[in-house]
Amino acid sequence: MSRRSGILEFAVLGLLRESPMHGYELRKRLNTSLGVFRAFSYGSLYPCLKTLVGQGWLIEEPGSAPEDALAASLAGRRAKIVYRLTAAGKEHFEELLAHSGPDAWEDEHFGVRFAFFGQTSRDVRMRVLEGRRSRLEERLERMRASLARTRERLDDYTLELQRHGMESVEREVRWLNELIESERTGRDRRPSAGDGSVPTERPASHTQDQSGNAGGLPRDRGSSRPDPSDDTAK
C-alpha cells in the first residue's frame, strides 16, 4: 500500500466512524474537511472503498427507500449505496489512531491525523504533536543554515521567498507550542484517582473527546452536508 492510499484509507475509516455515508457525501467531506484530498476523484475513492469492503472493514448497504430504489431501476440508474463501518473496521481504525510514529508527523499525514484528534487519546496526541514540532525544528535549522550559506548569491525575490518559507515554519512551531502547552495544562488539571481533590474548571478551549480524555480542541462537525442524490454505486 502506498503512503498516499494509506492515509486515504485512514481518512475514510475516520469519517465513516462518525456516521455512514454515500460515496458522494464521503468525497465532499474529504474535500471540505480534509483539504489535502482536493485532488482526489471518484477514480481514487471507489477503489479504496472496495478494498476496505474486501478487508471486512466496511459494508455496503442500500441507501434508498424501496420505492426510491424501484424508481431508480425504472429510470435505468443503479440504487445508491451507503458505506458503514463494521466492528472490525472500527477496531482497525482505533489501531491506526494509536500509531504515533514518524509517518504521523509528515506534512500530508499530520493534517489528516490532526483532523481526528478528537478521537485520539491524549498520550498519542502529545507524541504526534511533539514529533511534528521536532521535525519542523530540524527543518527550520536546515533552512537557516542554507540561507546563511547562500544569502550573498540570492537575488532579492529569491531571498524573500526563502524568508517567507522560514516564517511559515516558525509560525507552525509557535502554534504547536501552544497546542502542546494546552494538552499539558489539561493533563495537569486532572485529579488523581482517589486523591479526593476537586477538579479545577478547565479553560473553554478544552473539550472532552470521544475516548474520554479531557483536553484537546473543539472540532466543528456540524457543517452542512451536500445532497448525495447524484451518488451511485461504482
Side-chain angles (χ1 to χ4, degrees):
M1 179 193 305
S2 70
R3 297 174 70 181
R4 181 78 165 171
S5 62
I7 198 64
L8 176 60
E9 291 185 4
F10 174 83
V12 167
L13 292 172
L15 289 175
L16 290 178
R17 188 188 186 192
E18 297 175 358
S19 65
M21 297 184 200
H22 300 285
Y24 176 81
E25 182 181 13
L26 184 57
R27 182 191 176 203
K28 286 294 185 182
R29 289 293 304 278
L30 287 168
N31 289 342
T32 58
S33 301
L34 306 172
V36 71
F37 293 111
R38 286 194 178 98
F40 272 64
S41 65
Y42 282 111
S44 300
L45 177 58
Y46 277 93
C48 173
L49 290 170
K50 294 301 182 183
T51 296
L52 295 176
V53 170
Q55 295 283 356
W57 297 330
L58 301 181
I59 58 173
E60 298 175 331
E61 298 178 338
S64 304
E67 57 270 20
D68 294 334
L70 177 59
S73 176
L74 293 174
R77 294 184 285 107
R78 288 175 289 181
K80 292 175 291 186
I81 288 177
V82 167
Y83 294 90
R84 182 184 298 274
L85 197 66
T86 64
K90 181 179 179 181
E91 181 178 353
H92 178 63
F93 179 68
E94 290 172 351
E95 291 173 356
L96 296 176
L97 278 179
H99 174 68
S100 58
D103 280 354
W105 314 338
E106 300 298 338
D107 294 346
E108 183 176 288
H109 288 218
F110 175 74
V112 178
R113 287 300 305 267
F114 190 82
F116 294 101
F117 262 25
Q119 304 180 41
T120 306
S121 69
R122 180 197 301 275
D123 290 344
V124 173
R125 291 197 302 259
M126 284 292 292
R127 288 196 296 271
V128 173
L129 290 172
E130 290 174 341
R132 175 66 175 174
R133 180 177 63 180
S134 176
R135 182 60 50 84
L136 290 182
E137 287 173 340
E138 293 172 359
R139 182 182 302 172
L140 191 57
E141 184 177 349
R142 291 194 301 269
M143 293 173 73
R144 287 170 175 162
S146 175
L147 184 60
R149 290 193 306 269
T150 61
R151 180 188 298 270
E152 300 302 324
R153 301 194 299 271
L154 299 177
D155 61 60
D156 290 343
Y157 297 102
T158 305
L159 183 60
E160 284 304 311
L161 186 61
Q162 295 274 350
R163 288 173 175 168
H164 174 70
M166 288 178 54
E167 289 172 358
S168 297
V169 177
E170 289 168 346
R171 282 195 299 270
E172 186 171 348
V173 170
R174 289 195 297 269
W175 176 67
L176 289 167
N177 285 336
E178 293 172 358
L179 290 173
I180 290 169
E181 180 59 28
S182 178
E183 292 285 348
R184 285 176 176 164
T185 300
R187 173 183 295 168
D188 292 343
R189 293 188 179 193
R190 290 186 68 185
S192 302
D195 66 0
S197 60
V198 178
T200 305
E201 183 179 357
R202 304 185 193 281
S205 62
H206 292 277
T207 60
Q208 192 82 7
D209 66 27
Q210 294 185 16
S211 60
N213 294 290
L217 300 177
R219 294 163 60 246
D220 180 10
R221 293 296 185 188
S223 59
S224 61
R225 296 181 176 175
D227 181 2
S229 58
D230 293 335
D231 183 42
T232 57
K234 300 291 180 180

